[in-house]
Amino acid sequence: MSGQSLLVPGEITPVRSVPGNIRRPEYVGKPAPKPYTGPEIQDADTIERMRIAGRIAAQAMEEAAKHIAPGVTTDELDRVAHEFMIDHGAYPSTLGYRGFPKSLCSSLNEVICHGIPDSTVLRDGDIVNLDVTAYINGVHGDNNATYLCGEVDEESRLLVERTRESLNRAIKAVRPGRQINVIGRVIESYAKRFGYGVVRDFTGHGINSSFHSGLIIPHYDSPQATTVMQPGMTFTIEPMLTLGTHEYDMWEDGWTVVTKDRKRTAQFEHTLVVTETGAEILTLP
């Protein structure tokens, strides 16, 4: 495993501005979003708008990822994604969500999720997860991926590759008429082949006009996840696999989640809509 030193919090720059003509989600400036009370099955117009949001989110993530290199700060990656979304008329969904101060989440090495971009400098051998969500035309599109920075050790490289594959396998398992727990069953059974931990307390979620609708998508085989998938349902799948335990600690910032044993972790995510025969990925660039 990589011999990198553990991460410590960096300095956070001031909140980036968003032009007044760009529509904000209702939760901006509030402590929490309103509970979602709408349907989990979306109409064709909503799904088409989500394709647009998803495409912008995917392109913004790609653009930020082009800048991943030793010596670059995570705050610089945030700037790139922020400006891309603004230039395309979208609001960065994480900015102001429950007080989150940045336009993407940057989670390195032992950070499972929700890392805050700051003055942290990327190092040769890091693995870097970028989580980008765009809000436009009243809907969200949410995706993330883990990237290699410079020369990465084999164990970490395989973790990233296999986490991506676990998402691909989970997407292929989506079918109308199946229960949600088939998704976690596929991910967990694949991860166990390599002795990886599967994070349980952070999950995929329903998404539409709401960033998190209340629908939960576990990445392990949960007997409680009995909701039946139906055409038009929109949600994310975002497995988080670890080289060790699935248990975690939280930094004092209230956002940054790290593995309890500080071993490395990777994540990949797409927003999907259930179709008559499977799933369509809405977060394609």
Side-chain angles (χ1 to χ4, degrees):
M1 181 178 167
S2 169
Q4 296 279 43
S5 58
L6 297 178
L7 293 164
V8 294
E11 295 295 321
I12 299 174
T13 59
V15 173
R16 293 191 161 86
S17 63
V18 178
N21 64 316
I22 292 180
R23 179 178 172 185
R24 273 88 166 139
E26 58 81 21
Y27 53 74
V28 174
K30 300 175 183 175
K34 291 179 182 175
Y36 178 70
T37 57
E40 296 296 350
I41 297 170
Q42 306 306 311
D43 60 25
D45 173 67
T46 302
I47 292 166
E48 179 55 34
R49 286 183 284 129
M50 288 182 68
R51 286 191 188 98
I52 294 168
R55 184 167 63 247
I56 292 171
Q59 291 172 340
M61 185 174 72
E62 269 196 348
E63 195 61 33
K66 291 176 185 175
H67 294 75
I68 291 174
V72 176
T73 65
T74 55
D75 187 68
E76 173 64 8
L77 304 178
D78 181 79
R79 182 194 66 77
V80 172
H82 177 93
E83 292 182 359
F84 186 96
M85 285 184 273
I86 297 308
D87 289 347
H88 288 77
Y91 185 91
S93 301
T94 60
L95 186 62
Y97 180 78
R98 297 183 181 271
F100 192 83
K102 290 295 174 181
S103 299
L104 59 71
C105 299
S106 56
S107 302
L108 279 57
N109 302 339
E110 70 268 22
V111 179
I112 295 171
C113 58
H114 304 157
I116 301 174
D118 59 18
S119 61
T120 297
V121 174
L122 300 182
R123 302 165 297 182
D124 186 63
D126 284 341
I127 59 173
V128 184
N129 180 271
L130 301 180
D131 192 336
V132 180
T133 309
Y135 177 79
I136 189 170
N137 298 325
V139 296
H140 300 267
D142 184 4
N143 68 162
N144 78 55
T146 304
Y147 300 90
L148 310 182
C149 181
E151 293 295 321
V152 175
D153 69 276
E154 180 76 353
E155 186 178 39
S156 299
R157 187 187 63 75
L158 285 172
L159 173 69
V160 171
E161 181 181 300
R162 290 163 176 168
T163 305
R164 182 192 291 112
E165 176 63 14
S166 77
L167 172 60
N168 293 340
R169 289 175 180 234
I171 292 170
K172 290 175 183 174
V174 172
R175 291 282 189 285
R178 290 180 173 176
Q179 293 184 344
I180 289 289
N181 59 11
V182 71
I183 294 169
R185 190 176 310 137
V186 166
I187 293 167
E188 187 173 39
S189 64
Y190 180 70
K192 279 184 174 178
R193 286 167 50 181
F194 310 104
Y196 296 154
V198 180
V199 172
R200 300 168 78 89
D201 291 346
F202 300 89
T203 67
H205 52 88
I207 184 170
N208 37 64
S209 60
S210 172
F211 195 171
H212 300 88
S213 72
L215 177 66
I216 301 298
I217 313 294
H219 302 123
Y220 62 98
D221 188 2
S222 169
Q224 282 77 44
T226 56
T227 299
V228 174
M229 292 182 267
Q230 301 177 61
M233 288 180 73
T234 50
F235 53 81
T236 72
I237 304 176
E238 45 189 297
M240 292 150 262
L241 305 186
T242 69
L243 290 176
T245 182
H246 68 269
E247 296 180 346
Y248 67 93
D249 292 322
M250 181 86 72
W251 280 6
E252 289 184 3
D253 61 23
W255 284 105
T256 306
V257 180
V258 295
T259 54
K260 187 169 280 293
D261 57 13
R262 303 303 190 264
K263 290 186 177 180
R264 287 188 166 190
T265 174
Q267 182 184 17
F268 284 84
E269 173 186 24
H270 275 305
T271 295
L272 313 169
V273 59
V274 181
T275 67
E276 295 292 341
T277 58
E280 176 193 345
I281 298 172
L282 299 178
T283 37
L284 292 175

